[in-house]
Amino acid sequence: RWSKKDVQEKKSKKNWKKSIQDEKDLRRKKEKESFSNWAEEKPLQKEAEEKRTREAAARERKEKKEAEATRLAEIERKRKEAEAVKKKIFRAKYEDAVAVIIGNKNYTSKIHDVKFAENDADAMTRYLIDLGYRKGNIINLRNATQSQLRETFGAKGFHRGKLYHYIREDESDVTVFYSGHGVPLNNNGYLLPSDSNPNLIEVTGYPLKTLFENLSKIPARSMTVFIDACFSGETPTGPIVGAVSGLDVIIKLPTKQTYQDRMVVITAASSREVANWDEDAKHGLFTKYLLKALKGAADKNMKTGNQDGRVTLGEVKAYLKREMTYQSKRLLRIQNATVSGDLKTVLSAYW
């Protein structure tokens, strides 16, 4: 028999063992739960770490992108500042420049109008103002009469016309632009004033010889002449003078004047050729491609220029040959510009 004390001790020992087992079970349960939680949390922790890595990489890329954008913006700002300074300096070159712009569209005699002469003159005026010419230094004539041409350029043996008095000696660059009719007579060329009689051209016209002799006596820093006219006696709409056909007019510059070496002359067509019109552009074909050339196309074109930002006479000559002459061939009326002067002469610059 077990005594009461033995029974109590046995119960106490059993309870102690059960308590120990319960503690072990509880510890194993906690360990199992802890492992289970860790196993569940580990992917979440990894995902969170990967997210933090991605976010850090994204921030780094954004910062690099912003830094690169800032760097490029600074480069662009400096480039624009440099261009503005360069443009200001170049425009200052033309502060004292003078121009004569003539657009003769309408004629009082029974002569075909020069359809787009005024458009040509207006476009050249805008170009020169953009280049830096002051409006007050541009003598603008539309449908100029013989007396206006003489007033502007002088007469035979007298070169001190209005243009002469506008320039500053050895400081002014001069541009002369004429769009209108030209007439041949006895192998000489004449500009046709709006009030002239083509059958009395020696009396009512303005001789090219007088024009170039007078211009070569003007003490300008440079003299550039553009003539959008032909001297074949023909126009795109028919002959100017019925009795004249295909005379050879060769423009010759003076050789004994003081300032002839400063002169550049470009005319729309060679002898026996017609100066064509571009109906779509509403300009003379010559003026259309001349302005393109001067605005930079002649230098930018890989086949005509060297891409240095400056447009030379040689580049303009090559560009007109490549573009204007090609387009005239498509019109079935061949047209070749004539060019006189130093081909290295810089006519314009662009930005």
Side-chain angles (χ1 to χ4, degrees), residues 50 70 122 175 212 263 293 340 350:
E50 289 176 349
T70 301
D122 292 343
T175 297
F212 291 129
M263 188 181 297
S340 301
Y350 63 92

Side-chain angles (χ1 to χ4, degrees), residues 187-323:
N187 292 334
N188 293 313
Y190 293 80
L191 300 182
L192 196 62
S194 63
D195 60 347
S196 65
N197 182 343
N199 293 306
L200 293 172
I201 195 62
E202 288 180 302
V203 178
T204 62
Y206 194 87
L208 287 178
K209 183 178 180 181
T210 299
L211 174 68
F212 291 129
E213 284 183 350
N214 287 358
L215 291 178
S216 66
K217 294 175 183 177
I218 294 176
R221 181 167 61 181
S222 69
M223 179 72 65
T224 305
V225 183
F226 304 122
I227 299 179
D228 194 346
C230 62
F231 298 91
S232 64
E234 296 286 334
T235 75
T237 55
I240 298 174
V241 185
V244 176
S245 177
L247 296 178
D248 285 319
V249 176
I250 299 175
I251 294 176
K252 296 180 180 179
L253 300 185
T255 57
K256 297 182 180 180
Q257 303 301 338
T258 306
Y259 303 103
Q260 86 279 350
D261 60 335
R262 305 181 186 182
M263 188 181 297
V264 164
V265 179
I266 308 179
T267 66
S270 302
S271 60
R272 295 182 180 271
E273 294 178 351
V274 173
N276 295 288
W277 300 333
D278 187 318
E279 295 285 348
D280 294 330
K282 300 188 184 305
H283 282 296
L285 195 66
F286 170 73
T287 298
K288 173 185 174 179
Y289 286 102
L290 172 67
L291 288 171
K292 283 178 176 288
L294 294 173
K295 290 177 181 178
D299 181 67
K300 293 176 183 178
N301 191 304
M302 298 295 291
K303 296 186 181 297
T304 62
N306 61 4
Q307 301 82 51
D308 67 348
R310 300 184 301 170
V311 180
T312 66
L313 179 61
E315 289 173 332
V316 171
K317 179 181 180 180
Y319 183 82
L320 291 175
K321 179 70 175 177
R322 179 171 179 81
E323 300 298 336

Side-chain angles (χ1 to χ4, degrees), residues 24-40:
K24 286 181 178 180
D25 291 343
L26 181 61
R27 189 163 52 250
R28 280 196 295 270
K29 183 180 180 181
K30 287 183 177 180
E31 287 176 353
K32 186 176 181 181
E33 289 177 352
S34 178
F35 178 80
S36 178
N37 291 337
W38 174 82
E40 291 177 358

